Amino acid sequence: MKEKVTLSYNRSWPYLFFWMFLLKMTVQGQTMDEMWDNRASGKEHPNIQWFKDAKFGLFIHWGLYSHLGGEWKGKRYYGSGEWIMNRAKIPVKEYEVAAASFNPTQFNADEWAQLAKDAGIKYVVITAKHHEGFAMFDSKVSTFDIVDATPYKRDPMKLLADAVRKQGMQFGFYYSQFQDWHDPNGGKNTWDFDESKKDYQTYYRQKAIPQLKELMTNYGDLGIVWFDTPGGLTKEQTQQFVDSLRILQPQSLFSSRVGHGLGDYRDYGDSEMPATPIKGAWESIYTHNDSWGYIKHDMNFKTPETIIQLLAEAASKGGNLMLNVGPDGSGRIPEYSVRFLRETGKWLQINGESIYGTTEGLIPQQPWGVTTSKPGKQYLHVWNRPHNGELLIPAFNRQVKKVYALAGRQVLNWHKQGNDIRIDLPTFPIDAKNTVFVLEYMGKVPTDEKEAPLIVSGCFDENVLKAAFAKTEGNAHIENLTYSHYYGDWKHTTCVVGMANGKTDKTQFDIRITEPGDYQIILEYACQPESANQEGMLSISDQNFYFKTLHTGSFDKKSPLLFIKQPVATVAIERSGQYILDIKPVANGQELFKLKAVLLKPIN
Ligand code: JFZ
């Protein structure tokens, strides 16, 4: 039946992430690695608990770039709007001129804070100075700031810090500590200044550190100082930099992008959601549309449903979601951001108990959704309703006390079947964003759950076996691939890669099919030209299915990585129970493909 598979380091969570981290280092090389630091010090900051409990943060990118709105000299730019100075290679002198007409008179700190409060946000982080070098606060260090260089002449950061704290939320500043395209010694402006003549130490000494000291002295208690894209300092220098700031506000948390693994919590790359639970404090950051800073023509907003599910997913893996909005140059938050944040807040009003203060779920991701935990409780976040109305909690061998709907507290019938719990769900709207049920239990928490087979059920339209949950053999291994759509619009997908040798390389999924029947099997993968036209074989239940790989495109981190969903087989499953689904190349050749997932669709 179940054969023994060796080499399953990737089934052990800490190792998986160690591997991903190593791979990330080698794949992306030095500069990317410097930019994308998601390591934390490993030491627990004494003030970390509020952050772990908070779960939902609001990120705000607001600067001179917001005033430009993604357009320069009649040309529209797509991607990260806050990079427009760099994209258009705008000379410092010309960029400074834009400040003369930046007048955000519509800015209202209380309205922003009220919106965050209504949305269920627990902390707000705003860009005090982004890579463009423009300070959105009253700085004595430079005149390139909102008070000295614009007709607005006031300090919006002061007002916002107070308004946010008045609403009982934590407040923090984003500060670009190395990249500064305005300063001759700052990082990365190569169009005005010769990089080889720069003295980064001087920049740190004369601008970054003094401005950070202003921010950490004049704006009250900061929950977070959110550093970004480290550079120009050794580990020792970074440690000194950190120490010199820590004395000012020892209770402030520093983001991992301070560099060299010296941050207090881990920040995942933009739009990067880890596949499995992560220990320690961490945060995933997503922007509401495609850009961080305001772009007039970027109307690609994530729906309330997506936001709510991202939030639940982050919480189910033990982390936070910090969602970004980009107010415009007049000081207004885009209408859709306002509306969709409020929608999210309405859901949290009712379901907040299942998010705030929770820890990672005990039940691994299911076809119906995810789980979060509080002592003695599992919150079941159901966003796909099983067709038969029966919710399966596989292998939950604790004593169940009670199951009820979180909204309205309606008590539900359930029964035990072997080690499984089966819950009779009430009907709820098919378009419900996320319906939460509470399972109260007694007994201690076993630790072996994560080895549980992946559930494939006939009660859902589709079952997704994600690459991150595969066991691999030989050269096959799991890798986190980074690529982008628009400029700076990074995407991250975990894939099985490296399967090239038919004798040694294999990808395997341990699954449990809960309803017999016919299933369509679909492979979702990316396949480079040199990988195309190779034969592969998928096996399940003593049946072998051959397929040939199809060309999708080349892999380049600066371009979209295209995935195809190729149906490869229909299979009859006669009995419910555990199965092994494996995939391997037929011959010895190039990497077969980059496998993102295997989808199983019941045929009714
Ligand atoms: C940085 C900035 O350059 C960008 O403008 C924005 O502020 C964003 C939040 O952070 O860009 C990065 C940094 C790290 C990653 C991607 C973009 N990363 O780790 O995926």
Side-chain angles (χ1 to χ4, degrees):
M1 272 264 0
K2 217 182 157 190
E3 55 183 289
K4 180 100 191 109
V5 179
T6 47
L7 222 166
S8 57
Y9 54 77
N10 48 353
R11 293 289 287 197
S12 156
W13 314 106
Y15 283 118
L16 174 64
F17 284 92
F18 174 69
W19 265 97
M20 284 186 164
F21 167 65
L22 267 189
L23 287 163
K24 208 164 174 165
M25 297 238 304
T26 51
V27 170
Q28 286 157 349
Q30 240 264 293
T31 44
M32 283 293 243
D33 177 49
E34 271 194 6
M35 264 186 61
W36 304 48
D37 203 321
N38 69 10
R39 296 163 295 171
S41 70
K43 278 183 237 140
E44 177 116 323
H45 191 288
N47 193 32
I48 200 74
Q49 197 57 41
W50 75 260
F51 179 84
K52 284 189 179 168
D53 290 342
K55 300 299 170 200
F56 195 22
L58 182 67
F59 209 178
I60 305 175
H61 274 65
W62 198 40
L64 193 45
Y65 46 81
S66 313
H67 178 45
L68 300 179
E71 254 179 48
W72 181 252
K73 297 201 166 155
K75 186 172 170 215
R76 280 183 294 276
Y77 289 81
Y78 292 79
S80 284
E82 71 286 1
W83 276 73
I84 193 161
M85 181 182 179
N86 186 308
R87 298 283 305 288
K89 302 289 178 264
I90 306 174
V92 164
K93 288 284 164 264
E94 278 185 52
Y95 201 74
E96 281 175 344
V97 174
S101 55
F102 180 31
N103 195 7
T105 52
Q106 301 303 305
F107 168 73
N108 183 323
D110 290 317
E111 271 174 33
W112 286 17
Q114 187 64 52
L115 171 65
K117 185 75 184 176
D118 294 347
I121 292 289
K122 299 291 181 186
Y123 61 103
V124 175
V125 175
I126 187 164
T127 49
K129 187 210 80 173
H130 206 273
H131 310 332
E132 63 179 359
F134 183 77
M136 289 294 286
F137 59 100
D138 183 11
S139 176
K140 303 294 173 230
V141 176
S142 160
T143 53
F144 194 47
D145 73 359
I146 193 161
V147 177
D148 296 318
T150 77
Y152 188 66
K153 292 194 178 358
R154 274 161 284 164
D155 182 343
M157 299 294 117
K158 187 98 202 86
L159 298 169
L160 190 64
D162 293 341
V164 165
R165 278 189 292 253
K166 205 164 73 199
Q167 291 281 10
M169 297 173 285
Q170 295 272 351
F171 182 78
F173 283 124
Y174 166 111
Y175 189 90
S176 173
Q177 77 271 31
F178 167 63
Q179 287 197 67
D180 190 310
W181 307 328
H182 185 264
D183 192 287
N185 289 306
K188 305 273 161 131
N189 179 340
T190 49
W191 56 98
D192 283 298
F193 311 116
D194 181 350
E195 203 72 27
S196 70
K197 299 216 174 83
K198 288 181 183 177
D199 179 0
Y200 299 142
Q201 305 303 317
T202 302
Y203 163 72
Y204 273 104
R205 203 173 47 246
Q206 293 184 349
K207 187 167 179 186
I209 295 174
Q211 283 200 331
L212 279 158
K213 288 190 168 164
E214 291 181 317
L215 291 169
M216 295 183 76
T217 312
N218 303 333
Y219 297 86
D221 286 350
L222 301 181
I224 291 174
V225 183
W226 214 96
F227 296 96
D228 196 15
T229 65
L233 297 181
T234 63
K235 181 161 187 180
E236 289 63 38
Q237 289 167 332
T238 306
Q239 186 67 62
Q240 284 170 11
F241 170 79
V242 165
D243 292 344
S244 68
L245 297 172
R246 287 254 194 242
I247 353 168
L248 299 173
Q249 294 213 22
Q251 85 294 347
S252 282
L253 306 176
F254 290 3
S255 71
S256 55
R257 291 189 193 168
V258 70
H260 293 286
L262 295 173
D264 299 314
Y265 66 86
R266 302 174 71 170
D267 255 297
Y268 280 90
D270 310 7
S271 313
E272 179 175 23
M273 180 70 74
T276 52
I278 305 284
K279 296 288 173 209
W282 63 271
E283 168 186 81
S284 258
I285 54 172
Y286 276 72
T287 188
H288 194 193
N289 42 359
D290 288 324
S291 173
W292 302 91
Y294 177 72
I295 288 190
K296 286 182 209 151
H297 46 277
D298 179 356
M299 292 297 286
N300 184 25
F301 293 98
K302 290 170 189 68
T303 62
E305 180 180 29
T306 302
I307 298 169
I308 290 164
Q309 293 181 3
L310 280 172
L311 179 59
E313 195 178 337
S316 79
K317 293 164 185 171
N320 294 357
L321 173 72
M322 180 159 73
L323 184 73
N324 177 74
V325 298
D328 66 18
S330 77
R332 267 188 292 244
I333 295 176
E335 189 53 36
Y336 275 114
S337 295
V338 171
R339 275 172 51 192
F340 292 178
L341 274 169
R342 288 227 157 85
E343 276 295 308
T344 306
K346 273 192 223 153
W347 182 87
L348 278 164
Q349 275 276 310
I350 298 166
N351 298 287
E353 180 193 324
S354 68
I355 298 286
Y356 305 124
T358 60
T359 53
E360 66 177 68
L362 300 178
I363 301 151
Q365 199 154 5
Q366 295 296 313
W368 44 259
V370 300
T371 57
T372 52
S373 304
K374 275 186 186 165
K377 284 181 185 165
Q378 285 298 294
Y379 295 98
L380 317 172
H381 299 256
V382 180
W383 55 67
N384 293 316
R385 191 176 194 279
H387 299 323
N388 63 354
E390 199 178 74
L391 195 75
L392 170 70
I393 314 292
F396 191 81
N397 39 27
R398 265 143 290 184
Q399 201 187 325
V400 175
K401 289 200 319 208
K402 186 176 167 189
V403 184
Y404 56 93
L406 182 57
R409 297 291 193 273
Q410 180 192 350
V411 175
L412 306 182
N413 291 326
W414 59 273
H415 64 276
K416 212 170 154 109
Q417 196 176 314
N419 272 335
D420 299 337
I421 307 294
R422 289 175 184 269
I423 300 167
D424 295 332
L425 292 182
T427 49
F428 54 83
I430 199 83
D431 62 348
K433 297 169 180 76
N434 175 358
T435 310
V436 183
F437 302 96
V438 189
L439 184 158
E440 287 186 6
Y441 67 92
M442 288 187 302
K444 67 173 187 352
V445 177
T447 49
D448 56 359
E449 233 112 49
K450 289 174 180 156
E451 292 296 322
L454 303 164
I455 298 289
V456 171
S457 163
C459 296
F460 298 91
D461 295 342
E462 183 173 271
N463 298 272
V464 183
L465 311 176
K466 287 189 196 162
F469 295 90
K471 290 182 180 177
T472 56
E473 280 183 58
N475 297 312
H477 58 277
I478 292 174
E479 204 167 285
N480 192 21
L481 303 174
T482 297
Y483 52 100
S484 55
H485 284 190
Y486 292 144
Y487 182 92
D489 182 7
W490 299 103
K491 311 283 175 197
H492 306 262
T493 303
T494 302
C495 289
V496 178
V497 300
M499 263 198 296
N501 186 324
K503 292 213 169 55
T504 54
D505 305 348
K506 190 160 99 175
T507 301
Q508 171 173 325
F509 292 93
D510 293 344
I511 60 176
R512 177 180 156 201
I513 302 182
T514 52
E515 283 80 22
D518 296 323
Y519 288 84
Q520 184 182 42
I521 306 179
I522 299 161
L523 300 177
E524 186 172 12
Y525 62 83
C527 184
Q528 314 206 71
E530 61 273 24
S531 293
N533 271 311
Q534 297 186 98
E535 259 189 300
M537 188 179 82
L538 181 148
S539 312
I540 181 171
S541 181
D542 299 325
Q543 301 179 66
N544 296 334
F545 301 99
Y546 291 93
F547 62 87
K548 220 167 180 188
T549 56
L550 304 175
H551 165 206
T552 60
S554 300
F555 176 45
D556 163 8
K557 64 181 186 301
K558 295 210 166 117
S559 311
L561 180 61
L562 301 180
F563 292 93
I564 193 169
K565 287 186 181 177
Q566 184 188 358
V568 293
T570 308
V571 61
I573 300 294
E574 261 141 43
R575 289 172 297 110
S576 56
Q578 291 207 16
Y579 290 87
I580 288 171
L581 184 156
D582 60 43
I583 298 166
K584 60 182 187 189
V586 169
N588 203 351
Q590 297 286 321
E591 173 186 85
L592 194 59
F593 45 35
K594 299 181 189 303
L595 180 69
K596 178 179 174 185
V598 179
L599 317 178
L600 289 109
K601 287 188 179 184
I603 302 166
N604 296 315

